[in-house]
Amino acid sequence: MEKNRIYLLTSILVMLALLSLTPPIAAQEESIESLTESVDGLGTALTFVWLLLCGGLVFLMHAGFSLVEAGFTRAKNTANILMKNLMTICLGVLIYWLVGWAIMYGENVGGIFGFSQFCLSGADNSTWNAWFFQMVFAATGATIVSGAMAERTNFKAYLVFTGLLVAIIYPVYGHWVWSGADFALLTGDGSWVVQICGASFHDFAGSGVVHSIGGYAALAGVIILGPRLGKFKNGKPQVIPGHNITFGFLGVLLLWLGWLGFNGGSTLDGSDAFMNLAVANTFLAAAAGAVAAMILTWMKTGKPDPSLTANGVLAGLVAITAPCGSVENWAAIVIGIIAGAIVYAGVMFNEAVLKVDDPVGAIAVHGYCGTWGLLAVGIFSVGMGNGILDGAVYAAGAPGLLYGGVNQFMVQVVGALAAIIWAFVAGLIVFKLIDIVIGLRVSEREELEGLDITEHGIRAYPEYITE
Amino acid sequence: MEKNRIYLLTSILVMLALLSLTPPIAAQEESIESLTESVDGLGTALTFVWLLLCGGLVFLMHAGFSLVEAGFTRAKNTANILMKNLMTICLGVLIYWLVGWAIMYGENVGGIFGFSQFCLSGADNSTWNAWFFQMVFAATGATIVSGAMAERTNFKAYLVFTGLLVAIIYPVYGHWVWSGADFALLTGDGSWVVQICGASFHDFAGSGVVHSIGGYAALAGVIILGPRLGKFKNGKPQVIPGHNITFGFLGVLLLWLGWLGFNGGSTLDGSDAFMNLAVANTFLAAAAGAVAAMILTWMKTGKPDPSLTANGVLAGLVAITAPCGSVENWAAIVIGIIAGAIVYAGVMFNEAVLKVDDPVGAIAVHGYCGTWGLLAVGIFSVGMGNGILDGAVYAAGAPGLLYGGVNQFMVQVVGALAAIIWAFVAGLIVFKLIDIVIGLRVSEREELEGLDITEHGIRAYPEYITE
Amino acid sequence: MEKNRIYLLTSILVMLALLSLTPPIAAQEESIESLTESVDGLGTALTFVWLLLCGGLVFLMHAGFSLVEAGFTRAKNTANILMKNLMTICLGVLIYWLVGWAIMYGENVGGIFGFSQFCLSGADNSTWNAWFFQMVFAATGATIVSGAMAERTNFKAYLVFTGLLVAIIYPVYGHWVWSGADFALLTGDGSWVVQICGASFHDFAGSGVVHSIGGYAALAGVIILGPRLGKFKNGKPQVIPGHNITFGFLGVLLLWLGWLGFNGGSTLDGSDAFMNLAVANTFLAAAAGAVAAMILTWMKTGKPDPSLTANGVLAGLVAITAPCGSVENWAAIVIGIIAGAIVYAGVMFNEAVLKVDDPVGAIAVHGYCGTWGLLAVGIFSVGMGNGILDGAVYAAGAPGLLYGGVNQFMVQVVGALAAIIWAFVAGLIVFKLIDIVIGLRVSEREELEGLDITEHGIRAYPEYITE
Amino acid sequence: MAEMRKIEAIIRPMKFEEVKSALTDAGFVSMTVMEVRGRGQQKGLVQQWRGREYCVDLLPKTRIEVVVSERDVDKVVEVIQNTAATGSIGDGKIFVIPVERTIRIRTGEEDGEAI
Amino acid sequence: MAEMRKIEAIIRPMKFEEVKSALTDAGFVSMTVMEVRGRGQQKGLVQQWRGREYCVDLLPKTRIEVVVSERDVDKVVEVIQNTAATGSIGDGKIFVIPVERTIRIRTGEEDGEAI
Amino acid sequence: MAEMRKIEAIIRPMKFEEVKSALTDAGFVSMTVMEVRGRGQQKGLVQQWRGREYCVDLLPKTRIEVVVSERDVDKVVEVIQNTAATGSIGDGKIFVIPVERTIRIRTGEEDGEAI
Ligand SMILES: Nc1ncnc2c1ncn2[C@@H]1O[C@H](COP(=O)(O)OP(=O)(O)O)[C@@H](O)[C@H]1O
Ligand SMILES: Nc1ncnc2c1ncn2[C@@H]1O[C@H](COP(=O)(O)OP(=O)(O)O)[C@@H](O)[C@H]1O
Ligand SMILES: Nc1ncnc2c1ncn2[C@@H]1O[C@H](COP(=O)(O)OP(=O)(O)O)[C@@H](O)[C@H]1O
């Protein structure tokens, strides 16, 4: 009995000891759970903070575009350009809220576009965060067009076009690439394009989605619009200098800074360490583009040309936008150099061969260099998981040509062509329609007088005496 | 004995096993504790980072204000305006450190103001962080006044006023709203206002604290100061165009970007997900304000007016500052549209009826739209915990009129009136005193010559030939 | 038997119970480990985000410098100044990637410089992050020089100098201070300088590394270059007003904002709470510097001088750059006030005594105030671990003179002198060599005509009629 | 054919609006205006730059040109002189210059009809 | 010694390029040009600022000065009149003013040789 | 009553300071100055924009007007010519134009006394 009692007692004690262990273990379980939640929450919070701030930097690009476009055109059209740029972002905000997001990120319809969440219905903080970051991108696409069509476009016509670009042209292509839908035309696992090419199209931050779309829609626009009066004399391109180089350069620097948000934020994850690679490559390509463009103009005319050098920065930035998270530093520099050459050649080609008039070089910068950036992914990508991309979760999936892969290049060609065709054809149709209904171009008299007076009744610099 | 031995042995083994479990559990306890600390630390660090960066964006608003005020006035007063704006932030930093913070966030005295922590005595990193974010707001309030009083105010007089605004006028009202003191006049649980109204005044990021205060102090200022020479001819308002629209528009875009920090940061918590709602609403309202103002001017004069459209952006931003974290997206758009209309009507009203001269529209933008923003909280607020505000911790407590609540609206009316009365009366007194002691206005000759030459001995653009 | 069975059963149950506890404990172990990893990862991610954004703000300083330098010089040299500033950052990016980083942070060679990691070989995301933040600093050093040498320097010569500064002059001194190498001349534990002085040189964010180096290299430059034509008449300094004060002031505000990243980011750790002290002190010193400079000019000429007041902001910022994380708020204000006085006196001294021509005051701002900032560390530092620096991990180690310490002051004097001598001598040699090989200065005719036309074939403002 | 004269008046910019109104009231609507800088007996203006004072001796002036028939010269001169004068140094000068022919570009009308 | 005349033409800025080409083609390369503001029979331009309309009565014009020998005056006037006229109000005026002497600064040549 | 002349000199902007000093030293302080653009025998300036070269044929010039008595004309012309000439094309021209009357706005003094 004694023993039994002892035995029982001991057993009970042991049981109690065990039980006494259980609550701390359970409590720990709980604190671990709540900690995990906190940590997850912090991760989300960091992403929120990061994307809001990156979105802010991308928003700053609208100031950059305004300044570049105003600075590189004549003083008599400055207020008009500023109004166009301001309205681009204003309409962009509203229309991307109303329609654009729904078409881009709504429920997939036939692999071609989304169609739900109009007016962000059902949004929560994650949605607002994502919408905000995407919205500043959407508006950027439209702004590109305003530069190419500067100094001669009817204000109302431009507004209508901007609305349609943000509502339809931009988000449809965006859906193909960034919606994450299973059947998304260029990136979905279930898409025939992806299956045929054997790789998914990769456009990290939008060399295609934003810049190609903007650039080739602009090309369609300037073709229908025609050149500014006096731009061509007997078919030979003439020079129409911009009125304020300081504005232009300030604009370029603001754009460059904005690109930190544009490319850095495009991991869409505040904890994705590869934002650093993306940013480093972005700055290398921008610098390389500028130096290349400067040297080219130096060799051609004997003097380093400021406005083309500034364009060289943008060329490098546009080109590296797609590949910045997938390539090595040296490749970023090469991509930038080639972009610098493309922008120079592109500007010359547009004027001398196509005979189109693009006052700020938007088509060469955003269109041609955008295409180049998409192809560069297929050439220089290391391949996700390889080398420097060990541990990466958002980069071009397959290696590029230089690393022995072909599939990625194939799909990049397809995606690049899709952007060109879609933007150009949709642009042609929309601009033609607008031309018929509203009239795309101001009258000759209005153009000579300047759009500031005729469209807005003001002069941008009423006190300065100008030529 | 055998059994006993076995029994004992087993018991000991079990005990040992139990003991061997205890240390890992204790160790885990410790690591969990240190983890919890790390996580808390990270949360704090994220808030620090977020508020420093948001504070930086708010600081950028000083560049925005400088440009808007300079651009929308004449070239002969540009250097003076820039100096005033620069000194506003410089004095703001120093005086808000010296006095302002103490009055705003110091120990409550009779529910009316704070009074401790002068010179930030006893500050640690949390205080510095909070001070920094609040300081950039304080200086903003003063800058608003400089715009309304541009082109005719004595420089020294303006400096004295700025000092007093940052030391007293701003922080006293700020104490009522943001101090968190139990007896804080408009928000403290123990305040009779809150008890009578049955709700606590909500001014998320300062439609009242910053903008109303600045706007109505400006109104007092321009009344005492009188209009610029030539602004009224036989009582009819004349036009005095600004000298550089590009500066004005760049300024507006920088202000808009700054508002991302202004409203986004005002959750004061880097992990509060509702920063996303705040930012989304901010951008929607700004865009809506601009579009509304543009359409109104278009309808009135036949041409979309750039400078009023730019004011429309600011109108939307000021109005959404209070409600941005408490209303749905559609409401933000409505608030913005109405703000756009208010700024247009307000500018006309000020000139045609009040006969006051406010070169940049600061009173309409910050005063009237600030009041509108405060009221809008009482109309459109969803109510904390309801609908989209499920889980929110910093929003208007009670639902607005549209959601069946009356109390929130009542307290908003009271708070809005308090801001008007306090800022206007304090402004009148201070400006009158300054006028008597220093002289508020420059001489007629100085005004004609331009303040740049007479106050600073320079010309802002000495090489340009101007009218 | 019964009992035995029961006993056995119980024992087994107990054992099982114990075993059943082990897996949750092991699982918890694992989740704690993975949590720890997540938390560490988040900490790193926060640092990444913080440094990328701070780096972005520092990058914005290039826009600031461009505007200040353009605004405070004549319109005929504007495009040239803008090109120089743009190329500074472009070359800075490329050369700091190619060489600069390797010399600054590569494997230490004899305590004097680093030598490995050329082209960032072997870089991972941490390296890219660090490189990015350091790179924007490096380019800043070069930009300082461009301001002092404005309006008369051969473009090609300037480019070559910039390359050499970023490749060698800047990173060598940087290695002495920031490399963390054991034998780093001014800060390494094993360095004889540190051992003799009994304290490690502290230059938080670069009053020495960035500003002194830039400032004294600029001094060497302007001595070899000579003053602008017309700057001195019979040895008496003449006035050459800048063409656009608005650009200058916008530039100063952008620089100020950039300094938030410059000083705030220099903890190099997103979780170091002392970033708040650094930022608060930065803003206090900037404001104090401006107010001091304004009052001084007001007393001297009877009118508050805008461009020197703007310089006062920068003076305060440069001076607080080294001590901002080591001193109390009141000390920051004192440091700023003295910096404001130094910049005024320095500008006068340079013109009247040294007879050197520095159009934007870069030598006084960055050189003299940089030195002042380094010394201020040795005077006002609280000492790491003392008072407000309780818990700080990155501040001046020993207390300053005011707190009874002498060693820190000694080593600061040595470090400050080292910066002066190294930058000035290296600058003299490099500029002399460039002068011999390329020719440092443009011809008299080119200078009169303006560098925009002669170096770049354009006019920055072709439509404005200028004097 | 009326004899024509060009009246060139160099006045203070801040007096321009007043002179313009006065000329309009007196029936002389047509004019051509340009911004010039001038120096006369007026001491220059002391300005400052970066803490250093200097004297700008060419001050901004507004130059008005009115072409009228010989018989209107006195009236125009009088109107300008009356409104532009402040009595302090720097008020400016009026020069009267003979004009041989005047042609209205729109119509080709000459002289008297062209004004 | 040829008699010299200064032809001052005030034209629409947007017509300037055309007038310049025409003068060049007619052999009159030399000219001096300045930006002025002018008012004639032309009603001013209605502009707006902050939602309020107002009339700017001085409109930007371009002023061309060509100094030629007396015998070339007619030709120059004709060329300018032909190219600058649009037929609507605001086309501008041409004034012909006697020049007593003309000196080429570079060489010191006078009058006829100086043009 | 002294006969008055207006001397209009169009010179290189970069020579302006020198000419101004020389005129001052020679006792001719009064002058009116404006920025103009001009074209003479001087070939235009080749500039570039976005990689494309073009020729700007109207170059910035500074135009000085000095009204003096007939007897001072030679002195003024000489001073200007001596200081403004560089010997290369583009140095500019001096035109001498008769002035019928000169009025000092401040006092109403005429002619000789008005200078
Ligand atoms: N002799 C002159 N030739 C050309 N311009 C003159 C002459 N005298 C005066 N002016 C112009 O008239 C302006 C005012 O002349 P000023 O002599 O200062 O005034 P006041 O007549 O009151 O003495 C000068 O700035 C200059 O533009
Ligand atoms: N009498 C005048 N004196 C000086 N300038 C004149 C005179 N008449 C016309 N002008 C100049 O010519 C310009 C055009 O003249 P305006 O009378 O409007 O044209 P139109 O000859 O077609 O009626 C005016 O803006 C003004 O600069
Ligand atoms: N006939 C003229 N009419 C008006 N302005 C002239 C005339 N000839 C020369 N000019 C002015 O003089 C400037 C210099 O003349 P230019 O002929 O190039 O110099 P140069 O006398 O050395 O040959 C021109 O830019 C123009 O402003």
Side-chain angles (χ1 to χ4, degrees), chain A residues 192-282:
Chain A
W192 55 272
V193 174
V194 174
Q195 287 173 349
I196 289 175
C197 294
S200 174
F201 182 61
H202 179 75
D203 182 10
F204 185 73
S207 288
V209 178
V210 179
H211 299 284
S212 290
I213 293 298
Y216 295 106
L219 180 60
V222 297
I223 287 174
I224 294 185
L225 191 60
R228 288 169 293 175
L229 294 174
K231 178 64 201 178
F232 292 96
K233 234 177 214 159
N234 312 322
K236 275 182 57 183
Q238 302 298 308
V239 157
I240 304 179
H243 84 285
N244 194 317
I245 302 298
T246 313
F247 284 149
F249 268 65
L250 176 58
V252 166
L253 288 170
L254 294 184
L255 282 164
W256 189 341
L257 174 59
W259 240 282
L260 169 56
F262 206 90
N263 288 0
S266 286
T267 58
L268 302 179
D269 177 357
S271 307
D272 185 335
F274 283 89
M275 60 174 71
N276 296 301
L277 174 63
V279 169
N281 279 341
T282 300

Side-chain angles (χ1 to χ4, degrees), chain C residues 48-134:
Chain C
F48 285 164
V49 162
W50 174 237
L51 289 188
L52 287 184
L53 290 169
C54 283
L57 291 179
V58 178
F59 175 77
L60 188 59
M61 293 172 69
H62 288 276
F65 278 115
S66 297
L67 289 171
V68 169
E69 294 177 17
F72 288 173
T73 53
R74 285 165 295 178
K76 65 181 174 180
N77 299 311
T78 300
N80 178 254
I81 283 170
L82 296 167
M83 273 295 271
K84 274 163 56 177
N85 275 279
L86 185 67
M87 273 303 125
T88 302
I89 174 71
C90 288
L91 291 179
V93 173
L94 295 172
I95 290 173
Y96 198 71
W97 178 82
L98 221 60
V99 182
W101 171 270
I103 302 293
M104 189 149 165
Y105 289 102
E107 202 82 31
N108 178 281
V109 176
I112 300 304
F113 58 91
F115 205 82
S116 69
Q117 296 184 51
F118 290 90
C119 302
L120 286 196
S121 68
D124 60 6
N125 281 301
S126 285
T127 317
W128 288 313
N129 187 267
W131 171 79
F132 176 69
F133 192 66
Q134 297 302 332

Side-chain angles (χ1 to χ4, degrees), chain D residues 31-32 65 67 104 106, chain E residues 38-42 90-93:
Chain D
M31 65 178 69
T32 299
E65 290 183 5
V67 176
R104 184 191 304 278
R106 174 161 49 97
Chain E
R39 186 169 81 164
Q41 296 178 1
Q42 191 179 11
D91 280 352
K93 296 263 176 3

Side-chain angles (χ1 to χ4, degrees), chain B residues 242 301 305 307 311 351 467, chain E residues 37 48-52 54:
Chain B
T301 65
D305 186 281
S307 84
N311 271 164
E351 291 196 347
E467 295 183 11
Chain E
R37 290 170 298 144
Q48 65 179 61
W49 176 250
R50 302 183 69 67
R52 214 172 274 288
Y54 68 110

Side-chain angles (χ1 to χ4, degrees), chain B residues 98-109 113-121:
Chain B
L98 220 60
V99 182
W101 170 270
I103 302 292
M104 190 150 165
Y105 288 102
E107 202 82 31
N108 178 282
V109 177
F113 58 92
F115 204 82
S116 69
Q117 296 185 51
F118 289 90
C119 302
L120 286 197
S121 68

Side-chain angles (χ1 to χ4, degrees), chain A residues 50-102:
Chain A
W50 173 236
L51 289 188
L52 288 183
L53 290 169
C54 283
L57 290 179
V58 179
F59 175 78
L60 188 60
M61 292 172 68
H62 289 275
F65 278 115
S66 297
L67 289 171
V68 169
E69 293 177 17
F72 288 174
T73 54
R74 285 165 296 178
K76 66 180 174 182
N77 299 312
T78 300
N80 177 255
I81 283 170
L82 295 168
M83 273 295 271
K84 275 163 56 177
N85 275 279
L86 184 68
M87 273 303 125
T88 303
I89 173 71
C90 288
L91 291 179
V93 173
L94 295 171
I95 290 173
Y96 198 72
W97 178 81
L98 221 59
V99 182
W101 172 270

